Amino acid sequence: MLSIRAVVPQGLYDLLRPDERRLIARSIATFSARGTVLRDVVLLQAAQRFAHGRRIPALARIAELFIREEQRHAVLLRAFMEDHHIALKRTDWTDRVFRLVRRLAGLELYI
């Protein structure tokens, strides 16, 4: 996993007021529930197969870079949440509904 710590530019305040924390905590905790390393591996493999089948070699690299950036963002979000004592969620009903709709539409990725 990536190891990144956010650096707050000098002069910016890095603490949340209680009302700010209350307003964003549920939303970012829900966001942090999404995504796994296994999902990223499966997604990358699917992109590689698609790129190979369509003879678009750059697409596999683009997908890899996109996944890395998403992982970097997740690490930053987790660090922010830990710094501000916002609990992480392991799962959320919205993610389950999204997966169900995706599966019903035939867009589910399988190992």
Side-chain angles (χ1 to χ4, degrees), residues 26-27 29-34 89 91-102:
R26 184 183 304 161
S27 176
T30 297
F31 179 77
S32 73
R34 298 198 174 107
K89 273 188 169 181
T91 186
D92 187 74
W93 70 268
T94 57
D95 191 46
R96 290 190 298 274
V97 169
F98 176 76
R99 289 174 184 271
L100 174 65
V101 169
R102 190 175 65 196

Side-chain angles (χ1 to χ4, degrees), residues 3 12 16 18 24-25 32 34 37 42 45 52 55-56 59-60 71 74 79-80 82 91-93 97-98 101 109:
S3 177
L12 290 181
L16 293 174
I24 68 167
S32 73
R34 298 198 174 107
V37 173
V42 171
Q45 289 171 345
H52 179 73
R55 293 186 168 85
I56 311 171
L59 184 59
Q71 290 171 340
F80 176 86
E82 288 171 354
T91 186
D92 187 74
W93 70 268
V97 169
F98 176 76
V101 169
L109 298 173

Side-chain angles (χ1 to χ4, degrees), residues 33-96:
R34 298 198 174 107
T36 66
V37 173
L38 177 60
R39 188 231 35 207
D40 291 344
V41 169
V42 171
L43 180 60
L44 184 56
Q45 289 171 345
Q48 289 168 339
R49 284 191 306 274
F50 184 86
H52 179 73
R54 304 294 191 291
R55 293 186 168 85
I56 311 171
L59 184 59
R61 180 67 175 146
I62 291 167
E64 178 186 354
L65 293 172
F66 179 79
I67 290 167
R68 283 187 186 179
E69 180 58 26
E70 184 182 45
Q71 290 171 340
R72 187 179 82 78
H73 182 257
V75 169
L76 287 170
L77 179 59
R78 180 183 206 114
F80 176 86
M81 292 173 69
E82 288 171 354
D83 288 349
H84 294 88
H85 308 287
I86 298 172
L88 300 172
K89 273 188 169 181
R90 295 290 173 228
T91 186
D92 187 74
W93 70 268
T94 57
D95 191 46
R96 290 190 298 274

